[in-house]
Amino acid sequence: MTNCKKCNKKKCECKSHVGKLVNVTKLSKFPPSLVSLRYPFPDTDMPRTWFRNTEDECWLAINPTNHKNMILVTHQDRLLGFLGDIVLYTLDGGDTWNESSLVLSRCQGATNPYALNDYEIASDPNIFFDPKGNAYMNAVSFNLVQDYDEAIVVVRSADGGKSWDRVTEVTRDDGNEHVQDRQTGFADPYREN
């Protein structure tokens, strides 16, 4: 790392420059042979193209009690908008990133099709911290082939994204009656609970 041009120090104290670029996400866990994947998405003319190693709908949250702790949530492997959400965290201000073990869908590796937090696909990730430094991640988890069940789920981390509590369904729709979509969450900065 070169010295900052303003304060002439390697560890910049003036906070006036942008650091180096860091690759945050890793390569897809899905094999390239799935490139011809055709996911049955009924009643649509949308193309069923799978974009391996792509990320979108990214959210980044910074811990208010420790600014070196950040959590990033994003889609990976876009197929009609989603295959799964991934959660990454840093404890050193972004120099290194670790993938969380949080699983919100079978596409991410969950195997129990009857667990409340085990849906075919996860989408619309969102992340935020409360004033005490607890992180909350929420998403839409749903089924497109099995039964059209879907839910907005939320989960909490008290250690900066390293581990997560049990996933909780906030809302659930069994069948295709309603659409759970584009949820977000924010902590009240004035009421700590």
Side-chain angles (χ1 to χ4, degrees), residues 59-134:
W59 283 82
L60 176 74
I62 301 171
N63 188 336
T65 65
N66 174 7
H67 292 150
K68 290 187 178 257
N69 174 214
M70 295 177 272
I71 300 177
L72 172 75
V73 296
T74 184
H75 285 152
Q76 188 174 44
D77 296 319
R78 185 176 180 86
L79 172 69
L80 279 172
F82 35 73
L83 267 188
D85 295 337
I86 56 173
V87 180
L88 302 119
Y89 66 93
T90 180
L91 301 172
D92 60 12
D95 287 336
T96 59
W97 290 83
N98 304 290
E99 188 169 345
S100 168
S101 61
L102 180 61
V103 172
L104 299 172
S105 73
R106 290 198 297 273
C107 283
Q108 294 171 272
T111 56
N112 180 356
Y114 303 107
L116 285 179
N117 62 337
D118 191 1
Y119 292 86
E120 293 167 359
I121 294 170
S123 184
D124 299 344
N126 176 249
I127 187 80
F128 61 94
F129 281 96
D130 69 16
K132 293 181 178 179
N134 296 304

Side-chain angles (χ1 to χ4, degrees), residues 28-192:
S28 170
K29 295 176 185 174
F30 293 106
S33 62
L34 290 180
V35 114
S36 61
L37 182 66
R38 292 292 177 257
Y39 204 89
F41 201 107
D43 304 323
T44 182
D45 293 328
M46 293 173 64
R48 294 179 173 94
T49 305
W50 179 47
F51 298 97
R52 186 171 183 261
N53 294 319
T54 59
E55 290 81 22
D56 68 338
E57 293 194 11
C58 304
W59 283 82
L60 176 74
I62 301 171
N63 188 336
T65 65
N66 174 7
H67 292 150
K68 290 187 178 257
N69 174 214
M70 295 177 272
I71 300 177
L72 172 75
V73 296
T74 184
H75 285 152
Q76 188 174 44
D77 296 319
R78 185 176 180 86
L79 172 69
L80 279 172
F82 35 73
L83 267 188
D85 295 337
I86 56 173
V87 180
L88 302 119
Y89 66 93
T90 180
L91 301 172
D92 60 12
D95 287 336
T96 59
W97 290 83
N98 304 290
E99 188 169 345
S100 168
S101 61
L102 180 61
V103 172
L104 299 172
S105 73
R106 290 198 297 273
C107 283
Q108 294 171 272
T111 56
N112 180 356
Y114 303 107
L116 285 179
N117 62 337
D118 191 1
Y119 292 86
E120 293 167 359
I121 294 170
S123 184
D124 299 344
N126 176 249
I127 187 80
F128 61 94
F129 281 96
D130 69 16
K132 293 181 178 179
N134 296 304
Y136 298 85
M137 192 270 184
N138 55 65
V140 176
S141 293
F142 56 100
N143 298 325
L144 283 176
V145 174
Q146 182 176 313
D147 53 19
Y148 297 105
D149 290 351
E150 60 183 341
I152 293 176
V153 297
V154 65
V155 61
R156 181 182 75 106
S157 173
D159 59 7
K162 291 190 281 186
S163 64
W164 297 84
D165 295 343
R166 182 180 171 92
V167 176
T168 302
E169 291 175 315
V170 177
T171 65
R172 182 180 172 100
D173 176 35
D174 293 333
N176 201 18
E177 295 296 317
H178 304 94
V179 175
Q180 314 289 332
D181 194 24
R182 304 285 184 207
Q183 82 300 329
T184 56
F186 300 95
D188 188 332
Y190 304 106
R191 296 187 306 175
E192 64 180 30

